[in-house]
Structures are given as structure tokens and as C-alpha cells.
């Protein structure tokens, strides 16, 4: 298809009206610049104006279709106008009886060796054309001969024979082979008047038939005849002004709705409309200027104004001197194919969007549930949704349910780190409306989610606060979503998502659904974190209530520390004790009940009371541990399984200091810092933990403590840390004690130990008990 002319007076009122409709639609977009105007030589050749107006959305869609369907046609290629059925096209000079032009597929019939112009019979022999019985074309009233005499041929089959191409007589086998290689020939003269001063030409189209068996050949020939009849052909004359159409076949008029007298003498630019892609037109114009073939897919318009996708293939026709004398166009309505492709692309896009949303939900859920702190869950959510779903994000949490005034902003994120402070400074005035209402407050008070597709440039509620308005204008919000964080029927907070001008997306109802799903998951994560925090607080309170106050004991300086774990509710099992006994000895103990919850804390209190009662009876350390083990085993107190070290400090009959007798049931060994700074691990007589087994009687180990010595007992929470070796942590504890400059201040030593070993936080709760000998 080529161009559109200014008209030659042949178009009737209907065509003029249709043209006016297209022109008016175009003028609406381009401000009145008519598509009829021609300014350049290229426009004269193709007749396409650079000022063709397009709707941006339709132009983008046309560009996508064009990119997927456009075929770059080389000198030896044929435009795929029938998908799998290529057409060979030739032009015959009726006066000379010669073939003057053959496109790529027609040249392939001759093996590319025929030098044009060439006599029609000679060209037939070069192409190996015969009738169905194998006789050469020159010996028959062939379709080509009739076309060369100016007679139209509506469609006849011919055979292609390699033997005929060689100029030899065809054998039976070759004729059978020829029956499998058939061409359907359609031809007609392009000018009817013999006295026309212009050169008289005829067009011949060859469509390939294939198959096996006579019946199938006949069926395929009938099908191809219908196809050939429905192919839309046009021929334009570049020697005339505006390169007008000089011939079209009936299929063109049926395709476009225009009558013959409405199109002849006009450039077929009249098929263009307001949404025809100017980029495609420019490519066609460039191809015509370069006198090369091209195939494009365009959005064209029929006479009644309906749009259709038109696959246009244009080929130049050269004379014997290499000059372009015509352009042959073939048009095909590919609307259905384009629509199917659009639907496929839309389905793929929807599937990809769904996959991204599922990934977002999965990642955010994993990130939020990994934290047992409500603020940590909120910050994890803010990190995930930016920039996947928003340009900025805020999470506000209520300290008291149902009290919006108690809300505080716990998480803020922005794709641009330099704007994070701006988002925080705006407070909850991040999504105001023109009436001054705050959607965040409304959601925190139990209202429904808010979808704000378009935010005001200058909110009415901020006009009196210049500083706040300046911050709002610096952020430049475009669209926002505010959804509540709920759990167990209560509003815990609000999630605000926002986009910015000029490139931020405009939120839709689909985005609101996704944000609500995210907020629901966040609400559960926050609620779980708060429940865990409450359990942690209760366990720690119970733990501290069960731990004794360290009494003053003559001859001893004592300090104790209890450090709750930073990892959730990991408290409840560690304990210590210092007990002056009736016989003048001092009982000293440290232990750790298995478990990290309220039940472990309760079991710890129970076991501590049992151990104190046995120690009060004056039993030795080994007997105290054995009695505790028997009680736990006999009463099936599985929750009371524990590690423990129990010792008795007694004054020696002669000499100074104290004698320490101790028994260790699976517990980390105590450390003894001598007055000279050396540190010893008291590893004597290790035995199974309490409640693990009915073990044989344990032994007691004794060690002499001198004035200035420092005895340190601790639980495993102090030496166990993620990725660390407990032995290395024990060495670190020993070196910290050895480097302590002043052992007189026992409390300072305990604080220094916790500072060094608890610098990164402890995974488990820990107990530290230090005793200095005076």
C-alpha cells in the first residue's frame, strides 16, 4: 500500500466525508495541521506527513505490535503475506511480450539466472514451467502466453519441472515429481486501452501448491483460488505526483470499503487515521525513497471509520534499465492475529505481576516473622515494600489500642535516602486531602482502608503551616494507600504507601488489595511480637522475683548479676544462690534449668527451694546434688532437669582463708582468679546433669581459697553465642578476669565481664556470681 494523494476529483461525497472524519480526528490532536499537506520529496513519493497525530496509548500499542510483526525484507526475500504461502510476482510488457520484473520468489523459480527483460517463453523454460502433463509452456496455450496477449487468467495450475528447466524431455518419474510441485497462476493486464501512451503491463502472481494425490491437488487448487481472489493488491505510479494508485483489485475495495473510483488517482494515505503510528509511516517512506521492499503492520481505517490492523508489503518494480516504474503493494487484514498477540502479552504480563506479588508477600512475611520485636517487624516491612510497591513507606503503631493519639511512627523508608528525614518530619500529615482530613488518623480510629489515586499538589490543610507545606512539596506525593494493621479484631497501627511525581505509579484497586494483604500479615507479626514481649517481661519478672538478695557474709565480698537475653523471651531458667548455713558454712550455687519460658522459671524456683532445704540439713555438696537428682527422677519432674554447681565454703581448722568443696552436675566449671592474677578452671569431678539419669554417687572436690582470691560462677548464657566457640568464650572470660586491675571492687569486675562478653547481646539469659575472699 502506498501513500494518499490530495485527490483528483474521482472521490464521491462518501469518500470525501470519510476523509474529512480522519482529517478532523487528526486536527484535534495536531492543532489543525492537515494530513493532506505534502512538503518533501519523500512525501511526494509516499505521501505520508510527519504531522500524523496519534493517541499516546494507541501509538505505544502500535509500536509493540510493529516490533513483534515487522519483517525486514531483503533483496532475495518475499513478504510473508500468506504466512506459509509465499507469492511470486512478475510483470509482463504486453507490447514486447517480455518479462520485465520478477520479485525474489519469481527469480528463485529461474534459479536467479534469468537476465531481464526476457521473452515470456524463454522465461517459462528458465523457470521450468510445464502443463500438468509435462509439456513446455511454448507448446501450449499457457496461462503466461494468454496474459502476455492481454487476456486475464483467473487461476490455473502449472507444474514446475527440473527436467523442463534443463530443456530435456520429462520422464514418467519427473512428471510424477512435477505433480507434487504445482503453482497456481493468476494474471491480468494493468491497462485496458491499447492507445494508452504509457507502456502496457500485465501482472502475474504465482502461489505454490503442494500435496500428494490428484484429489488433494484439486482441493488445494480450489482453496488457493479463493485465497488469491481475497489477496489485496495495489499498484502505484511514482512518476505521477503524490505516487497515486493506478490499479487495485476487487479484494482491496472489499478490505477497505472504498469503491474503485474513490481510490484510483489517489495516494492511499486516506487509510491512515489519528492512531496510525507515525514511526511505521516514516520507515515505509524511507524504504520507498531507497527503492527497497518493506513489510509493516499499520493501524488503518476503512471507509466507515472502523479500524483494522493492516500488514502491508510493498515492493518496487524495475524496468530493464533498473528504473523504478511502479510499486506493488499487498495488504492483509491481520487484526485477529494482532488481538491474539495482545491477549497473549497481557496474559504474560498479568502472570508476571502475580508472580512478583507472591514473591513480595513471601519475602515480607519471612522478614517480619524473623523478628520478635514489633518495631523490627515494622522496619522489615518498610524495607521490603520500597521500591517494589512504593516510593516511600511509613508504619505507625498504637501504644494503646483504640487511642489514635498514642500512635508513633516506628518505621520509615524512601527509595532516596536523602528524603527519609522529610518523610519522618511530616508526621502523619503524609497523606492529607483537600478537606484537611487525615486518612492515617481515620484508619487508626478503626476506619476503612483509604485509596488516594491523586493527591493534591498543595493540600488545603497545610496552607497555614509553611514549614510543613514546604516539606510536603519537597516530597511531591502523587498517589497513596493507607491500610490498617489488624490482629485479633483490633487495630494495631497503619501502613502508608506512597508514590511521587513525576514517575510514580497511580495506585489502583488491585494495589489496595495487595497492600491490605501485606498489612494483615504485618499485623499478625506485630501482635505476635507483642505477645512474645509480654511473655518475656512476665518471665523476667518471675525470674528476678525468685532470685535471692545477696546477704552480707563476714570474710566474703559478694556481687551478682542477672542479664536477660536480647533474643525474644529467652529467660526463665538461670539462677544463683548464696546461703549462710546453721553450722557456720556458706552454701553457694549456680544452675540452669532446661527451657526458656515461664514453666522453666517456675521449675527453677522449685529446684532452688529443694536444693536450699538439702543444703540447710548440712549435707555435703555431692549428697545435695544426689538428693536433688533422686527427687527429680522419682517425681518425674522433666521440666526440672538442670545443670548446677553447688559448693560449701568452710573455714579451715588451722590457717586462713576458706575451703571450697564443690560438686558439678554438667555445668560450666567455675573460675578461680588467684591473688597473683592467674586464673584456674575448677573442672574436678564433672557428672551428669540433675534429672538426666540415676547416676552413681557423685564425688566432691575441694580447693583452698586464700585471701584476695576471686571465685566466679556463671551459666552457659555467658559463653554461648551464635557462631562462637564456647571454649574460646571461656578463654575470653578468663583473660578478662586476669586483666582486672582491682579485685577489691567485685561489682566492677562483674560489670566488666558482662561488657566484654555481652557486647553484641546474649542469645540466652545469663547469671554471674563473684565471691572475693577477705
Amino acid at each position: 500500500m502506498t501513500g494518499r494523494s490530495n485527490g483528483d476529483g474521482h472521490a464521491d461525497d462518501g469518500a470525501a466525508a470519510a476523509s474529512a472524519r480522519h482529517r478532523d480526528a487528526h486536527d484535534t490532536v495536531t492543532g489543525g495541521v492537515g494530513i493532506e499537506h505534502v512538503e518533501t520529496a519523500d512525501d511526494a513519493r509516499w505521501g505520508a506527513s510527519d504531522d500524523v497525530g496519534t493517541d499516546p496509548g494507541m501509538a505505544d500499542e502500535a509500536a509493540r505490535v510493529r516490533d513483534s510483526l515487522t519483517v525486514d525484507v531483503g533483496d532475495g526475500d518475499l513478504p510473508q503475506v500468506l504466512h506459509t504461502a509465499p507469492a511470486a510476482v512478475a510483470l509482463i510488457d504486453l507490447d514486447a511480450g517480455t518479462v520485465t520484473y520478477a520479485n525474489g520468489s519469481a527469480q528463485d523459480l529461474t534459479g536467479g539466472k534469468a537476465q531481464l527483460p526476457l521473452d515470456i517463453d524463454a522465461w517459462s523454460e528458465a523457470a521450468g514451467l510445464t502443463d500438468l502433463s509435462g509439456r513446455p509452456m511454448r507448446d501450449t496455450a499457457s496461462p503466461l502466453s494468454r496474459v502476455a496477449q492481454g487476456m486475464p487468467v483467473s487461476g490455473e495450475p502449472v507444474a514446475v519441472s527440473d527436467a523442463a528447466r534443463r530443456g530435456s524431455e520429462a520422464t514418467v518419474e519427473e512428471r510424477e515429481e512435477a505433480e507434487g510441485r504445482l503453482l497456481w497462476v493468476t494474471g491480468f493486464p494493468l491497462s485496458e486501452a491499447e492507445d494508452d501512451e504509457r507502456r502496457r503491463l500485465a501482472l502475474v502472481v504465482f502461489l505454490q501448491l503442494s500435496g500428494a494425490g490428484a484429489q488433494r491437488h484439486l482441493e488445494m487448487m480450489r482453496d488457493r483460488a479463493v485465497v488469491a481472489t481475497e489477496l489485496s493488491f495495489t499498484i502505484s505510479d511514482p512518476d505521477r505526483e503524490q505516487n497515486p494508485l493506478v490499479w487495485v483489485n476487487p479484494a482491496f475495495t472489499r478490505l477497505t470499503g472504498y469503491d474503485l473510483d474513490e481510490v484510483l488517482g489517489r495516494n492511499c494515505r486516506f487509510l491512515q487515521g489519528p492512531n496510525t503510528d507515525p514511526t511505521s509511516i516514516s520507515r515505509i517512506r524511507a524504504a520507498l525513497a531507497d527503492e527497497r521492499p518493506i513489510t509493516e503492520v499499520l493501524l488503518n481505517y476503512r471507509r466507515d471509520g472502523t479500524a483494522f490492523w493492516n500488514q502491508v508489503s510493498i515492493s518496487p518494480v524495475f524496468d530493464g534499465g533498473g528504473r523504478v516504474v511502479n510499486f506493488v503493494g499487498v495488504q492483509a487484514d491481520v487484526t485477529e492475529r494482532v488481538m491474539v498477540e495482545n491477549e497473549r502479552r497481557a496474559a504474560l504480563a498479568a502472570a508476571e505481576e502475580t508472580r512478583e506479588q507472591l514473591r513480595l508477600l513471601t519475602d515480607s512475611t519471612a522478614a517480619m516473622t524473623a523478628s520478635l520485636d514489633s518495631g523490627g517487624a515494622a522496619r522489615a516491612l518498610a524495607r521490603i515494600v520500597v521500591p517494589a510497591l512504593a516510593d516511600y513507606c511509613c508504619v505507625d503503631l498504637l501504644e494503646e489500642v483504640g487511642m489514635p493519639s498514642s500512635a508513633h511512627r516506628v518505621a520509615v523508608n524512601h527509595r532516596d535516602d536523602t528524603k527519609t528525614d522529610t518523610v519522618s518530619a511530616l508526621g502523619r500529615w503524609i497523606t492529607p486531602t483537600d478537606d484537611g482530613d487525615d486518612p492515617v488518623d481515620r484508619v487508626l480510629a478503626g476506619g476503612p482502608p483509604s485509596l488516594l489515586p491523586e493527591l493534591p499538589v498543595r493540600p488545603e490543610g497545610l496552607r497555614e503551616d509553611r514549614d510543613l507545606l514546604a516539606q510536603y512539596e519537597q516530597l511531591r506525593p502523587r498517589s497513596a494507600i493507607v491500610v490498617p494493621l489488624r490482629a485479633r479484631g483490633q487495630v494495631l497501627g497503619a501502613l502508608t504507601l506512597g508514590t511521587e511525581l513525576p514517575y510514580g505509579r497511580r495506585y489502583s484497586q488491585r494495589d489496595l488489595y495487595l497492600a491490605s494483604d501485606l498489612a494483615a500479615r504485618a499485623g499478625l507479626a506485630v501482635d505476635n511480637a507483642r505477645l512474645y514481649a509480654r511473655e518475656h517481661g512476665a518471665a523476667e519478672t518471675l525470674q528476678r522475683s525468685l532470685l535471692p538478695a545477696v546477704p552480707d557474709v563476714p570474710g566474703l565480698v559478694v556481687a551478682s548479676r542477672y542479664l536477660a537475653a536480647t533474643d525474644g523471651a529467652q529467660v526463665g531458667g538461670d539462677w544463683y544462690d548464696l546461703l549462710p548455713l546453721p553450722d557456720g558454712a556458706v552454701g553457694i550455687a549456680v544452675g540452669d534449668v532446661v527451657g526458656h519460658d515461664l514453666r522453666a522459671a517456675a521449675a527453677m524456683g522449685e529446684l532452688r527451694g529443694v536444693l536450699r532445704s538439702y543444703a540447710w540439713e548440712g549435707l555435703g555438696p555431692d549428697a545435695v546434688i544426689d538428693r536433688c537428682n533422686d527427687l527429680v527422677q522419682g517425681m518425674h519432674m522433666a521440666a526440672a532437669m538442670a545443670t548446677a554447681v553447688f559448693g560449701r565454703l568452710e573455714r579451715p581448722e588451722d590457717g586462713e582463708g576458706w575451703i571450697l568443696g564443690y560438686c558439678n552436675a554438667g555445668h560450666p566449671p567455675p573460675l578461680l582468679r588467684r591473688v597473683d592474677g592467674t586464673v584456674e578452671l575448677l573442672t574436678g569431678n564433672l557428672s551428669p546433669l540433675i534429672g538426666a539419669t540415676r547416676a552413681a554417687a557423685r564425688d566432691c572436690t575441694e580447693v583452698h581459697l586464700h585471701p584476695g582470691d576471686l571465685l566466679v560462677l556463671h551459666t552457659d548464657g555467658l559463653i554461648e553465642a551464635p557462631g562462637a566457640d564456647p571454649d574460646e568464650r571461656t578463654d575470653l572470660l578468663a583473660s578478662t578476669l586476669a586483666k582486672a586491675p582491682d579485685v577489691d571492687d567485685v561489682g566492677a569486675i562483674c560489670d566488666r565481664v558482662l561488657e566484654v562478653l555481652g557486647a553484641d547481646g546474649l542469645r540466652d539469659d545469663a547469671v554471674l556470681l563473684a565471691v572475693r575472699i577477705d
Side-chain angles (χ1 to χ4, degrees):
M1 183 189 69
T2 58
R4 174 183 177 182
S5 74
N6 290 329
D8 60 356
H10 292 292
D12 64 10
D13 294 338
S19 176
R21 287 195 300 273
H22 293 167
R23 181 168 58 252
D24 292 342
H26 173 265
D27 291 345
T28 300
V29 178
T30 62
V33 180
I35 61 175
E36 297 278 342
H37 181 61
V38 178
E39 295 182 348
T40 65
D42 285 343
D43 288 336
R45 174 62 56 91
W46 169 235
S49 169
D50 290 334
D51 295 326
V52 174
T54 60
D55 174 73
M58 292 296 293
D60 291 345
E61 183 60 23
R64 288 191 292 271
V65 174
R66 179 195 65 239
D67 292 340
S68 65
L69 299 178
T70 298
V71 180
D72 291 327
V73 182
D75 291 339
D77 298 328
L78 179 72
Q80 297 297 312
V81 297
L82 287 176
H83 304 295
T84 59
V89 179
L91 284 179
I92 300 176
D93 187 326
L94 297 179
D95 296 325
T98 59
V99 176
T100 61
Y101 165 77
N103 71 351
S105 288
Q107 292 175 9
D108 289 342
L109 292 175
T110 65
K113 298 178 180 179
Q115 298 296 321
L116 303 181
L118 186 62
D119 179 76
I120 184 64
D121 290 332
W123 190 88
S124 298
E125 291 179 358
L129 301 182
T130 71
D131 66 6
L132 296 184
S133 64
R135 290 185 300 167
M137 291 287 97
R138 69 169 60 247
D139 297 337
T140 66
S142 69
L144 291 184
S145 299
R146 298 203 304 276
V147 173
Q149 296 170 18
M151 294 183 292
V153 175
S154 60
E156 293 184 17
V158 299
V160 180
S161 172
D162 290 338
R165 181 181 293 121
R166 294 194 305 268
S168 62
E169 294 296 331
T171 64
V172 174
E173 291 78 7
E174 289 170 337
R175 284 197 298 271
E176 291 177 353
E177 180 184 0
E179 291 181 357
R181 302 182 59 207
L182 300 178
L183 299 179
W184 187 259
V185 181
T186 300
F188 35 81
L190 300 181
S191 59
E192 298 179 358
E194 296 183 1
D195 57 353
D196 193 336
E197 295 180 357
R198 295 175 52 80
R199 186 162 55 110
R200 297 188 306 127
L201 299 174
L203 177 71
V204 182
V205 180
F206 300 88
L207 295 176
Q208 183 172 344
L209 302 175
S210 61
Q215 182 62 32
R216 182 172 180 181
H217 287 332
L218 293 176
E219 292 175 357
M220 293 187 66
M221 282 188 284
R222 286 195 295 269
D223 294 340
R224 294 296 184 175
V226 173
V227 171
T229 303
E230 292 303 317
L231 273 178
S232 172
F233 287 95
T234 61
I235 296 178
S236 66
D237 187 349
D239 291 334
R240 297 185 185 181
E241 184 180 0
Q242 295 293 311
N243 189 20
L245 298 176
V246 296
W247 179 87
V248 298
N249 71 343
F252 179 84
T253 62
R254 290 194 295 272
L255 174 66
T256 64
Y258 289 95
D259 294 333
L260 183 63
D261 58 354
E262 293 179 300
V263 298
L264 293 182
R266 303 176 62 191
N267 183 293
C268 64
R269 191 188 303 119
F270 58 81
L271 293 179
Q272 298 173 22
N275 295 320
T276 303
D277 184 10
T279 305
S280 297
I281 297 173
S282 297
R283 281 200 293 265
I284 293 177
R285 184 168 56 244
L288 295 180
D290 296 339
E291 299 180 347
R292 57 181 170 82
I294 187 173
T295 296
E296 282 282 344
V297 175
L298 299 169
L299 187 66
N300 281 164
Y301 294 82
R302 296 184 174 90
R303 188 178 186 277
D304 61 4
T306 59
F308 70 101
W309 288 102
N310 190 5
Q311 180 172 301
V312 182
S313 300
I314 304 173
S315 300
V317 178
F318 300 91
D319 62 11
R323 186 178 69 89
V324 173
V325 293
N326 292 104
F327 283 102
V328 176
V330 180
Q331 299 83 27
D333 185 349
V334 293
T335 302
E336 182 176 356
R337 181 173 49 161
V338 171
M339 298 304 293
V340 170
E341 177 64 17
N342 288 345
E343 291 175 0
R344 185 186 70 84
R345 289 175 182 238
L348 290 176
E352 179 64 18
E353 183 178 1
T354 300
R355 189 185 70 83
E356 288 299 319
Q357 290 180 354
L358 290 175
R359 182 193 63 78
L360 178 63
L361 291 173
T362 301
D363 291 348
S364 60
T365 302
M368 289 185 293
T369 55
S371 175
L372 294 177
D373 171 61
S374 59
R379 289 187 290 273
L381 174 62
R383 286 193 303 270
I384 290 294
V385 299
V386 175
L389 190 59
D391 292 327
Y392 63 84
C393 170
C394 310
V395 182
D396 298 288
L397 294 182
L398 293 171
E399 294 180 358
E400 298 181 32
V401 176
M403 297 291 293
S405 60
S406 69
H408 62 287
R409 185 150 288 167
V410 296
V412 175
N413 194 15
H414 196 289
R415 65 165 62 243
D416 182 356
D417 293 338
T418 63
K419 291 188 176 182
T420 302
D421 292 340
T422 302
V423 177
S424 298
L426 279 171
R428 292 206 304 280
W429 275 108
I430 199 71
T431 55
T433 57
D434 280 331
D435 58 5
D437 187 21
D438 186 359
V440 178
D441 274 343
R442 188 167 60 248
V443 166
L444 290 174
S450 292
L451 171 62
L452 307 171
E454 295 290 345
L455 291 174
V457 177
R458 294 174 61 87
E460 191 68 30
L462 299 184
R463 292 184 183 276
E464 297 181 359
D465 191 331
R466 294 182 179 274
D467 293 337
L468 202 58
L469 180 60
Q471 292 170 343
Y472 181 87
E473 291 177 341
Q474 179 185 356
L475 190 62
R476 302 181 68 196
R478 180 194 176 180
S479 188
I481 290 175
V482 184
V483 290
L485 275 62
R486 295 178 181 272
R488 294 183 294 161
Q490 296 180 326
V491 177
L492 305 181
L495 168 66
T496 302
L497 303 175
T499 62
E500 285 187 314
L501 294 170
Y503 305 114
R505 63 199 281 183
R506 183 179 184 274
Y507 283 135
S508 64
Q509 194 69 32
R510 183 184 180 111
D511 297 312
L512 180 62
Y513 294 148
L514 178 59
S516 298
D517 197 342
L518 281 170
R521 295 166 186 253
L524 290 176
V526 168
D527 189 54
N528 288 336
R530 288 181 171 180
L531 289 174
Y532 214 19
R534 283 196 285 270
E535 183 180 355
H536 178 280
E540 185 175 353
T541 300
L542 177 61
Q543 173 89 356
R544 292 186 184 278
S545 68
L546 295 175
L547 294 176
V550 177
D552 292 330
V553 178
L556 302 177
V557 178
V558 182
S560 62
R561 297 290 185 271
Y562 171 74
L563 190 64
T566 58
D567 187 6
Q570 301 296 305
V571 296
D574 292 26
W575 54 279
Y576 63 86
D577 203 353
L578 187 74
L579 176 65
L581 300 174
D583 57 4
V586 177
I588 185 171
V590 65
D592 185 2
V593 174
V594 175
H596 303 92
D597 50 23
L598 292 175
R599 188 172 65 164
M604 176 271 291
E606 186 178 14
L607 183 61
R608 174 176 165 269
V610 169
L611 187 144
R612 286 173 67 94
S613 65
Y614 291 146
W616 191 262
E617 294 178 6
L619 300 176
D622 49 350
V624 170
I625 295 296
D626 284 338
R627 294 282 295 274
C628 288
N629 183 75
D630 292 342
L631 181 65
V632 171
Q633 283 283 327
M635 298 184 66
H636 304 288
M637 298 169 58
M641 290 181 59
T643 65
V645 173
F646 175 69
R648 278 175 57 92
L649 285 168
E650 301 180 72
R651 293 282 190 177
E653 295 181 0
D654 298 320
E656 58 183 12
W658 296 75
I659 299 296
L660 172 66
Y662 68 93
C663 183
N664 190 332
H667 198 80
L671 292 90
L672 177 61
R673 183 190 187 276
R674 294 294 186 178
V675 69
D676 60 0
T678 59
V679 178
E680 304 173 10
L681 279 177
L682 304 184
T683 58
N685 294 321
L686 290 175
S687 61
L689 73 164
I690 296 173
T693 179
R694 291 186 178 275
R698 293 172 170 83
D699 295 325
C700 178
T701 301
E702 292 187 352
V703 61
H704 193 174
L705 307 183
H706 302 284
D709 289 349
L710 179 67
L711 177 66
V712 177
L713 298 89
H714 64 89
T715 56
D716 58 3
L718 200 62
I719 59 173
E720 291 182 353
D725 186 346
D727 292 337
E728 294 179 357
R729 298 269 293 179
T730 300
D731 293 340
L732 178 60
L733 173 59
S735 65
T736 302
L737 293 175
K739 295 175 183 177
D742 184 9
V743 296
D744 292 336
D745 191 347
V746 180
I749 293 177
C750 291
D751 293 337
R752 177 58 182 166
V753 168
L754 293 180
E755 178 184 354
V756 173
L757 277 82
D760 298 328
L762 300 177
R763 184 181 63 181
D764 196 357
D765 53 336
V767 158
L768 187 64
L769 180 64
V771 179
R772 182 173 61 80
I773 307 300
D774 273 349

